[in-house]
Amino acid sequence: MTARYAARRRSNAVAMALALAATLFGIGWLILILGVLLWKGLSGLTPAVFTQMTPPPGSSGGLLNPIVGSLILTVLAVAVGTPIGVLAGTYMAEYGRYDRLTSVVRFINDILLSAPSIVVGLFIYEVMVAPMGHFSGLAGGVALAVIVIPVVVRTTEDMLTLVPNALREAATSIGLPRSVSITRICYRAARAGMVTGVLLAVARISGETAPLLFTSLNNQFWSTNLNAPISSLPVVIFQFALSPYKDWQSLAWTGALIITLAVLALSITARSLVGSSKHS
Amino acid sequence: MDPARRQSVVDFALQEGAMVSVEAVTRARVLDRLRLGDAAFRHLTRAAAFGVLLLLSGVIIALIQGSLPALRAFGLGFLTTDRWNPVTENFGALAPIYGTLVTSSIAMLIAVPVGLMIAFFLTELCPQWLRRPIGIAIELLAGIPSIIYGIWGLFIFAPFLQETLQPFLINTLGNVPVIAPLFSGPPYGIGILTAGLILAIMVLPFVTSISRDVFEAVPPVLKEAAYGVGCTTWEVVRYVVLPYARVGVIGGVMLGLGRALGETMAVTFVIGNAHRISSSLLAPGTTISATIANEFTEAVGDLYTSSLIALGLILFVITFIVLAVARYMLLRIERRIG
């Protein structure tokens, strides 16, 4: 009996040690990746990065055009994706909470949420780039919007579902039409959560590379023309990192650091907005 | 408001006298406008919800349409041959499919046990004040864009593996009879194994956070009962928590698998992009997504482009099935928790 008890205690101790080791292992990667990024990227993080264009190989330069390009694409994606996502989420939480349509849309939306982003790139290539005959910033923005929509749908639905029914009943009892009670009462009550959804979506798309590779392509020069290929930070990192030139590679590290800091800042802001309430 | 009812409102107002009637007519008009706006808003939201459905069907239709030329030219043989020759326009998807499956398997083999152990630590062992910071750290790992993993993998992780783990594997497991071919050949640094390991790091947070959530949903009374009859912590987790949370854990694992299968940039950097199936895990290979990312913009000729889109279609079908199963599993556990 005592031998058996000792064996049980031993396996318990081993399992607990393994669990601790696994946790250290997981956190170790985060520290390792962030550490390397800071070490490699920080030295290149000078004002020139934000004021100069991407250089030809062998000379110095910055990342101005990809940064501006990324900002334009992100704004475009949010402008296209947010209204659609919010409206669809509104339908699911307000009008059709117990509909068959809602459960189907929820299922499909969850699949879109984790669908491979490169497939989105192929889709936009087929429906926009091929018919238009050329790569364009517009196509890149729409491709990112396709990624924004499911994120916003999901958070909008979740957050509106959390709004207490008493608010809706009160609004209806003073004679407000449904649409007014939704836009003026429910949206206001769920605002923090809905903003969080948009922030999470922005965090998600700011590092997306695959859908941009064959939609917005890349541009070595200054361009804000949405009808032409436009430069973006992730694609430039991809191109520069795989190049044999040292100064291009170090710019890629700096770009990677900028993206990571932006993404981390966005997700921490989003997290603090919703406080301790959990949703993924 | 239907005209008859509006008329009756107006009639009622008229009985009250001329002064009120003007007000009543305006009120009817305002009510009318509100009703119209109400209906418009409802239909707008409904249309947006349908839009989400259209989006998915649009993706499927576009991919099928784009891959038709390739499917017509190669038929089902597209799935079973590993030729990939842009010069003779002869394409087969076997090598990328193989690479995708193998890298994802490596990733899951590592990420699932480690993720479960982290979830075990977070729910049973970790002091309360540390739970939130560690949970957030793991979730931040999920938020790092894949291109960051790619650049890190190419410049830091692959050279490290080339000097340490890979020679070690070649010298040890490379001499073990049956599995020796898996670990033969020179240590390139980049290759199938490296891609699998990076995928494991990327998938880890998904497995961890979902397992933690379902572990936390296990009713405390079950665990307390187990502790009460004298179980050790490990026995409680192994024989009470895990069986109860099984469906949810499988859902989380499938969700992670969905991500591993479709992951593009991180893999593209480190897989080596070689269209061949070699027995060694250390050799360069390719995956579906890496092939598309590497070759699509350079593809000349309709058949080449179409073959790449057909690869995308295959990837989409595989991930669709995996994700659908994942969602179904998670839905089941959600219903049970209520």
Side-chain angles (χ1 to χ4, degrees), chain A residues 24-240:
Chain A
L24 293 177
F25 177 80
I27 294 178
W29 290 119
L30 182 70
I31 295 170
L32 206 60
I33 292 172
L34 292 184
V36 166
L37 264 181
L38 284 173
W39 173 53
K40 286 272 198 180
L42 214 49
S43 57
L45 201 61
T46 55
V49 169
F50 300 99
T51 54
Q52 292 180 13
M53 303 292 152
T54 45
S59 55
S60 67
L63 294 166
L64 179 63
N65 44 337
I67 290 174
V68 172
S70 272
L71 288 178
I72 292 174
L73 289 177
T74 308
V75 169
L76 185 63
V78 170
V80 175
T82 310
I84 299 177
V86 166
L87 286 174
T90 305
Y91 178 82
M92 293 160 74
E94 298 288 339
Y95 290 113
R97 197 179 281 190
Y98 306 103
D99 263 15
R100 192 153 184 81
L101 174 65
T102 297
S103 48
V104 174
V105 170
R106 191 181 297 134
F107 186 77
I108 297 298
N109 189 64
D110 280 348
I111 295 214
L112 281 176
L113 198 60
S114 11
S117 56
I118 191 143
V119 170
V120 173
L122 287 176
F123 165 59
I124 297 299
Y125 177 87
E126 274 293 297
V127 299
M128 285 186 75
V129 178
M132 286 163 77
H134 57 87
F135 299 100
S136 67
L138 195 62
V142 174
L144 293 181
V146 173
I147 295 169
V148 167
I149 290 173
V151 182
V152 175
V153 169
R154 179 74 188 269
T155 41
T156 304
E157 195 209 346
D158 285 354
M159 290 302 137
L160 284 179
T161 312
L162 289 180
V163 173
N165 261 333
L167 279 181
R168 297 192 183 91
E169 285 157 8
T172 309
S173 73
I174 57 166
L176 285 186
R178 198 80 186 271
S179 59
V180 177
S181 92
I182 291 171
T183 48
R184 296 288 170 81
I185 310 284
C186 297
Y187 279 177
R188 209 164 281 188
R191 189 165 50 196
M194 289 164 70
V195 171
T196 303
V198 176
L199 287 181
L200 286 178
V202 172
R204 173 102 193 266
I205 58 171
S206 49
E208 278 292 354
T209 319
L212 296 179
L213 285 175
F214 23 86
T215 51
S216 66
L217 205 67
N218 194 2
N219 199 330
Q220 283 288 93
F221 306 103
W222 174 259
S223 167
T224 53
N225 182 2
L226 280 180
N227 208 21
I230 197 167
S231 181
S232 64
L233 213 39
V235 177
V236 166
I237 294 175
F238 181 51
Q239 184 197 348
F240 279 17

Side-chain angles (χ1 to χ4, degrees), chain A residues 8 12 91 126 179 234 271, chain B residues 38 46 139 147 230 234-235:
Chain A
R8 283 176 56 205
N12 187 44
Y91 178 82
E126 274 293 297
S179 59
R271 228 167 273 281
Chain B
D38 218 26
R46 205 176 148 80
E139 273 157 37
I147 188 152
W234 169 242
E235 282 164 351

Side-chain angles (χ1 to χ4, degrees), chain B residues 122-244:
Chain B
L122 282 177
T123 51
E124 299 296 326
L125 304 177
C126 185
Q128 207 69 42
W129 59 273
L130 249 180
R131 285 186 190 184
R132 221 173 122 67
I134 293 182
I136 289 176
I138 298 284
E139 273 157 37
L140 286 183
L141 204 56
I144 295 178
S146 66
I147 188 152
I148 309 298
Y149 284 96
I151 186 172
W152 175 81
L154 178 67
F155 288 111
I156 310 291
F157 197 50
F160 171 76
L161 288 181
Q162 188 174 20
E163 282 164 22
T164 56
L165 183 69
Q166 294 191 344
F168 171 76
L169 288 176
I170 293 168
N171 291 331
T172 53
L173 294 178
N175 298 323
V176 180
V178 183
I179 55 169
L182 285 178
F183 302 99
S184 59
Y188 290 102
I190 55 173
I192 298 257
L193 180 70
T194 312
L197 292 177
I198 287 191
L199 282 180
I201 303 172
M202 299 182 71
V203 165
L204 185 61
F206 284 75
V207 179
T208 306
S209 69
I210 290 181
S211 313
R212 184 197 55 192
D213 289 351
V214 291
F215 279 12
E216 272 173 357
V218 175
V221 66
L222 283 183
K223 290 194 276 186
E224 284 155 12
Y227 279 120
V229 296
C231 287
T232 61
T233 313
W234 169 242
E235 282 164 351
V236 170
V237 170
R238 174 71 189 77
Y239 299 108
V240 177
V241 174
L242 255 187
Y244 188 89

